Amino acid sequence: MIVHVDMDAFFASVEQMDNPALRGRPVMVGGGDRGVVATASYEARRFGVHSAMPAGQARRLCPQGVFVRPRFDRYKELSGKVMEVLRAHSPLVEQASIDEAYLDAEGLERVYGSLPALVCSLRCAIRTATGGLTCSVGVAPVKFLAKICSDVNKPDGVFILETGDVEAFLATLPVRKIPGVGPRMAEALGKFGIRFASDMRRYSPDFFRTRFGRPGLVLLERAMGRDPRRVEPVREAKSESAEETLAKDTRDLEQLRRILLAHAEKVGRRLRSQKLQGRTVTLKVKYADFTQITRSKTLDAPVASTQGIYGVARELLEAVSLKKAVRLLGVGVSNFGAPRERLTLLSLLNGGRSPEFEGEKRRLKLDRTLDALRERFGEGVVARGALAMHRRDGLAQGQDQRQELDPQPSGRTPEAGNLRG
Ligand code: TTP
Ligand code: MG
């Protein structure tokens, strides 16, 4: 059996836990004047507010609701505690997102006496470790069913689907509930009289393949209650990225560069903490009219340093049109792993040293020092020149990097929130 754990209204519950004044009230995390709702407390959901809803619409639906700015560092910290609890229960834990994970329960039944006893222990330990957060748990023979089951008695609920009950469950499971089936797919299936999962079995694999391609075949498998995916404890990251909807649309290249640097810093730190380097840097730009472009560059030598990532991202940014104002800016690094032959070849061509490789090595050394300082003394202890200036007074016209070490840990202005959010 597989256990799926999913925290209840995660970001909103954390805010309510940390601030008693918010408890029992409709809380919406995210938004501000712009952007979307990341999540809403169950009190706010009663008014129809949900994740990904534009902030303005949420405000209209629930005028008495409280909007709270997200605090990702705090959510990550608590997410870490939840994962620790799960790993203390089983060696086979796969984190699927910031607030959910799968756990392979094989053999654990005997350790805990029964499946309900295991689930009970998990829930109690999560509540204690986090300081009071609740989760919902689904247990089923396969992954996708476990995920569906954790939603059945949400919030703060449990649903265990025994193998013998899977058939009956599929007969009343609306296709829309199957992960991967969106509103359009559900509508398309509806045209063939397919409303519940088991309705799919009236059609052949060929029918699904020709109409919906490979995803159609996967869907048919699900309709049979099959899901070959195992719980995989370490899923390798394929990319790291950071993006942000700006507080205000802008065409100001200088401001965009600063945001880019903050993103490069964030992505670089995540890569460095995982000892990863990537060869492809991607820039994502969404304009005020919601059109979106991405531009990528693949390098000879992989990067993980903030300046290394920033340098490429900046080059990409300078090549895109700023005729329309920018609404969202993002940076990603992918293509991990160093292709050794290529690096060696580069080194040979450069008399044993590749300038890209050597430069990156130097930059990484500095970054590791900065990362370690922050780890020890907190985020504010050092900031890059341009970022430090931005934090202090919002003025950073073409700063050079001489101010690499900012001795003032306190100089945070509201802009810092935008950068760090
Ligand atoms: P979810 O588990 O999908 O949602 P939730 O935990 O808020 O609520 P539920 O009780 O229904 O599980 O997502 C976990 C967190 O991820 C959520 O608290 C906020 C964030 N998130 C977003 O930022 N944007 C989104 O569109 C979604 C769905 C989630
Ligand atoms: Mg959740």
Side-chain angles (χ1 to χ4, degrees):
M1 294 291 263
I2 291 173
V3 178
H4 182 254
V5 177
D6 190 307
M7 303 303 292
D8 300 323
F10 186 47
F11 294 3
S13 305
V14 174
E15 297 305 331
Q16 288 179 319
M17 178 174 81
D18 288 352
N19 180 0
L22 296 177
R23 290 182 201 160
R25 297 179 62 186
V27 172
M28 294 163 289
V29 180
D33 305 331
R34 297 277 309 252
V36 294
V37 174
T39 196
S41 70
Y42 277 80
E43 294 85 354
R45 289 183 199 194
R46 273 182 225 123
F47 294 87
V49 178
H50 57 74
S51 290
M53 176 180 275
Q57 188 184 353
R59 170 78 44 250
R60 279 193 296 282
L61 283 173
C62 184
Q64 66 274 60
V66 187
F67 257 107
V68 184
R69 283 238 161 234
R71 294 180 298 145
F72 294 104
D73 289 345
R74 177 75 174 132
Y75 310 145
K76 270 197 193 143
E77 180 194 345
L78 288 163
S79 168
K81 291 197 168 148
V82 172
M83 299 307 151
E84 250 172 55
V85 166
L86 300 184
R87 291 193 184 105
H89 279 77
S90 161
L92 282 177
V93 173
E94 175 182 332
Q95 180 168 2
S97 79
I98 190 161
D99 88 324
E100 64 180 310
Y102 295 94
L103 183 148
D104 193 325
E106 178 154 4
L108 294 185
E109 233 176 306
R110 252 171 290 149
V111 179
Y112 289 88
S114 67
L115 270 175
L118 163 69
V119 172
C120 196
S121 167
L122 282 172
R123 280 155 43 88
C124 283
I126 286 175
R127 201 187 281 254
T128 311
T130 55
L133 295 180
T134 63
C135 63
S136 296
V137 178
V139 186
V142 293
K143 256 183 165 177
F144 91 95
L145 285 173
K147 185 170 165 78
I148 292 170
C149 287
S150 69
D151 213 37
V152 171
N153 287 322
K154 221 174 209 317
D156 202 12
V158 179
F159 186 77
I160 300 180
L161 180 63
E162 302 286 354
T163 309
D165 297 329
V166 169
E167 279 301 306
F169 189 76
L170 290 170
T172 56
L173 179 71
V175 284
R176 182 73 178 83
K177 293 265 183 192
I178 302 176
V181 178
R184 276 175 44 201
M185 175 78 122
E187 200 192 317
L189 291 168
K191 293 212 174 103
F192 297 101
I194 300 172
R195 284 174 51 222
F196 301 106
S198 45
D199 293 342
M200 279 188 250
R201 298 187 209 162
R202 295 203 298 261
Y203 295 87
S204 70
D206 266 347
F207 168 86
F208 279 97
R209 193 181 2 232
T210 44
R211 304 266 163 184
F212 305 104
R214 255 200 70 78
L217 284 179
V218 173
L219 202 56
L220 185 59
E221 283 279 293
R222 302 283 190 269
M224 313 274 189
R226 291 187 208 134
D227 184 350
R229 294 172 304 156
R230 306 173 68 89
V231 176
E232 288 177 57
V234 268
R235 256 214 314 213
E236 274 184 33
K238 293 197 172 70
S239 71
E240 276 294 349
S241 62
E243 61 177 55
E244 179 198 346
T245 302
L246 314 187
K248 204 162 169 274
D249 299 340
T250 185
R251 297 173 50 208
D252 178 0
L253 184 60
E254 204 50 53
Q255 190 196 342
L256 293 171
R257 279 199 196 121
R258 284 196 298 270
I259 295 167
L260 221 50
L261 178 58
H263 286 346
E265 176 93 308
K266 203 182 269 180
V267 172
R269 274 184 81 183
R270 281 193 221 137
L271 291 173
R272 296 191 291 272
S273 72
Q274 299 170 78
K275 303 208 163 29
L276 289 171
Q277 282 176 283
R279 283 206 306 135
T280 303
V281 176
T282 303
L283 172 82
K284 174 170 159 186
V285 178
K286 196 188 268 181
Y287 292 106
D289 63 359
F290 283 85
T291 53
Q292 181 180 306
I293 56 164
T294 58
R295 296 285 180 272
S296 294
K297 182 172 175 179
T298 296
L299 310 161
D300 287 324
V303 286
S305 72
T306 299
Q307 287 297 335
I309 299 165
Y310 173 63
V312 182
R314 196 171 101 162
E315 215 178 281
L316 293 169
L317 176 69
E318 280 159 9
V320 305
S321 158
L322 290 181
K323 283 207 189 88
K324 291 183 283 187
V326 173
R327 174 188 165 82
L328 172 147
L329 197 62
V331 177
V333 173
S334 56
N335 204 351
F336 297 153
R340 278 193 186 287
E341 346 52 90
R342 183 126 199 195
L343 279 181
T344 318
L345 189 64
L346 263 173
S347 310
L348 285 176
L349 284 174
N350 289 285
R353 286 177 162 243
S354 132
E356 288 95 334
F357 191 58
E358 293 302 321
E360 177 65 10
K361 224 164 88 179
R362 236 186 2 259
R363 291 189 291 265
L364 269 178
K365 209 171 141 193
L366 170 67
D367 282 350
R368 292 214 178 93
T369 312
L370 296 182
D371 292 348
L373 279 171
R374 291 201 187 94
E375 194 70 26
R376 269 190 75 185
F377 301 111
E379 290 302 311
V381 70
V382 279
R384 253 158 240 284
L387 291 181
M389 288 306 284
H390 186 52
R391 278 177 198 176
R392 213 173 295 137
D393 55 22
L395 293 172
Q397 303 296 322
Q399 289 306 312
D400 61 26
Q401 295 303 310
R402 252 173 280 149
Q403 277 200 314
E404 203 75 56
L405 295 173
D406 176 11
Q408 283 172 295
S410 55
R412 287 196 191 149
T413 64
E415 283 94 332
N418 293 336
L419 279 171
R420 306 166 90 242

